[in-house]
């Protein structure tokens, strides 16, 4: 799929988000080309990349789901650059689903649960395998239970923490879960929500449990849920990773 085949609404989302991010870069003093943030000490952080927007996000017939992760983890690009909208989309949507890590594999089944149709989710609701194992075993065979279109194409995914340590190659660690200007960064996140207009927001970590309603603040979101992160060992089955530990409105 080329950028030209991405739904027009998605291109509009990209343009509005890019405009908002560029304003954030100017306010923070982030290099508009490289993403470097020289004001931090030590000066080893950069903006990680634009959010992911699936090519079918906002399509009629599916709820708009915004998934909120913690941080991007690793710096996957060459020095002097950060991930564009299209690079991000290709890295998630165009990648064979059986090759995804536990995080994105779990996000795949979160999309099944929260964007519909219901029968897609019910096929795997009680499957005892991990989300990643299901995709590894079923996708290469073209299993009839998997939906014909990638459910990841129907969602948007952003990270609450926007920074990455330059050159970081491992996904583990919490060193990038930091705000350098909490007020500006929270406002950026809230504006992302305003622009994307999701029907449902899912936070992927129990770290959000006590603050997710405050974080969303004035955003008009019908439903929001806090889930366990899908990469947590021992909690990677479909039914487990979509089970809310907190939600609004309450059940």
């Amino acid at each position: 799929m080329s950028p030209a085949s991405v739904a027009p609404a998605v291109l509009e989302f990209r343009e509005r988000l890019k405009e908002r991010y560029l304003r954030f870069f100017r306010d923070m003093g982030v290099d508009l080309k490289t993403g470097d943030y020289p004001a931090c000490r030590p000066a080893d952080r950069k903006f990680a990349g634009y959010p992911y927007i699936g090519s079918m996000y906002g399509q009629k017939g599916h709820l708009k789901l915004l998934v909120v992760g913690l941080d991007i983890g690793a710096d996957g690009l060459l020095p002097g650059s950060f991930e564009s909208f299209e690079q991000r989309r290709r890295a998630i949507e165009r990648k064979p689903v059986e090759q995804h890590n536990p995080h994105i594999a779990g996000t795949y089944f979160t999309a099944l649960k929260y964007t519909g149709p219901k029968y897609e989710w019910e096929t795997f609701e009680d499957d005892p395998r991990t989300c990643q194992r299901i995709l590894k075993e079923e996708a290469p065979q073209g299993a009839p239970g998997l939906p014909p279109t990638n459910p990841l194409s129907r969602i948007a995914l952003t990270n609450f923490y926007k920074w990455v340590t330059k050159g970081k190659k491992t996904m583990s660690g919490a060193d990038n879960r930091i705000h350098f200007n909490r007020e500006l960064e929270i406002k950026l996140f809230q504006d992302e929500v305003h622009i994307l207009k999701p029907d449902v927001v899912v936070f992927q970590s129990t770290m959000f449990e006590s603050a997710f309603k405050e974080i969303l603040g004035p955003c008009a979101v019908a439903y929001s849920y806090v889930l366990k992160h899908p990469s947590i060992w021992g909690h990677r089955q479909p039914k487990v990773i979509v089970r809310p530990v907190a939600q609004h409105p309450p059940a």
Side-chain angles (χ1 to χ4, degrees):
M1 179 179 289
S2 67
S5 62
V6 172
V10 172
L11 297 177
E12 183 178 345
F13 285 132
R14 287 185 183 183
E15 287 303 311
R16 293 186 62 197
L17 284 169
K18 184 175 182 179
E19 180 181 346
R20 179 61 182 90
Y21 268 90
L22 289 176
R23 180 153 51 92
F24 172 75
F25 294 163
R26 290 190 288 267
D27 291 343
M28 291 287 292
V30 172
D31 189 289
L32 301 182
K33 181 179 179 181
T34 66
D36 287 353
Y37 182 49
C40 67
R41 292 292 180 270
D44 62 348
R45 308 297 171 91
K46 72 176 188 180
F47 172 69
Y50 288 118
Y52 165 79
I53 310 174
S55 62
M56 298 171 65
Y57 180 79
Q59 182 181 8
K60 290 183 179 179
H62 295 287
L63 294 176
K64 296 193 298 295
L65 172 65
L66 173 61
V67 177
V68 183
L70 287 166
D71 62 294
I72 202 167
D75 181 10
L77 296 180
L78 295 173
S81 63
F82 56 86
E83 205 164 31
S84 70
F85 286 107
E86 186 59 19
Q87 286 172 320
R88 186 71 168 146
R89 185 184 73 83
R90 288 179 177 273
I92 293 177
E93 185 177 329
R94 296 298 305 276
K95 188 174 185 177
V97 296
E98 64 271 21
Q99 296 179 16
H100 279 309
N101 61 27
H103 174 209
I104 302 301
T107 303
Y108 178 103
F109 286 95
T110 303
L112 287 187
K113 168 68 174 178
Y114 289 102
T115 66
K118 189 176 181 180
Y119 67 84
E120 289 184 350
W121 165 248
E122 290 177 339
T123 301
F124 299 99
E125 181 176 8
D126 295 314
D127 199 306
R129 295 172 292 178
T130 67
C131 298
Q132 188 182 39
R133 177 56 55 190
I134 294 171
L135 295 180
K136 284 182 179 294
E137 293 179 352
E138 303 291 343
Q141 305 173 31
L146 294 177
T149 58
N150 187 347
L152 293 170
S153 69
R154 307 194 295 248
I155 73 167
L157 169 64
T158 193
N159 287 303
F160 186 63
Y161 299 101
K162 307 300 186 183
W163 313 102
V164 66
T165 302
K166 289 187 282 188
K168 186 174 186 288
K169 299 303 180 185
T170 61
M171 297 292 289
S172 61
D175 50 314
N176 287 313
R177 295 170 196 168
I178 186 172
H179 291 303
F180 293 109
N181 187 320
R182 180 176 172 81
E183 181 179 356
L184 288 181
E185 293 175 51
I186 294 293
K187 184 63 168 63
L188 172 65
F189 171 75
Q190 292 173 343
D191 286 347
E192 283 185 277
V193 178
H194 280 300
I195 291 169
L196 289 167
K197 294 181 171 59
D199 302 298
V200 181
V201 175
V202 162
F203 293 87
Q204 290 183 314
S205 172
T206 56
M207 291 176 62
F208 293 110
E209 185 173 357
S210 62
F212 76 106
K213 287 183 285 186
E214 177 186 355
I215 291 168
L216 283 174
C219 304
V221 177
Y223 299 96
S224 55
Y225 302 91
V226 177
L227 313 179
K228 293 179 180 178
H229 196 280
S231 67
I232 295 177
W233 185 253
H235 299 278
R236 297 180 179 180
Q237 293 77 21
K239 181 182 287 187
V240 177
I241 62 100
V242 304
R243 184 182 301 145
V245 297
Q247 65 186 73
H248 183 79

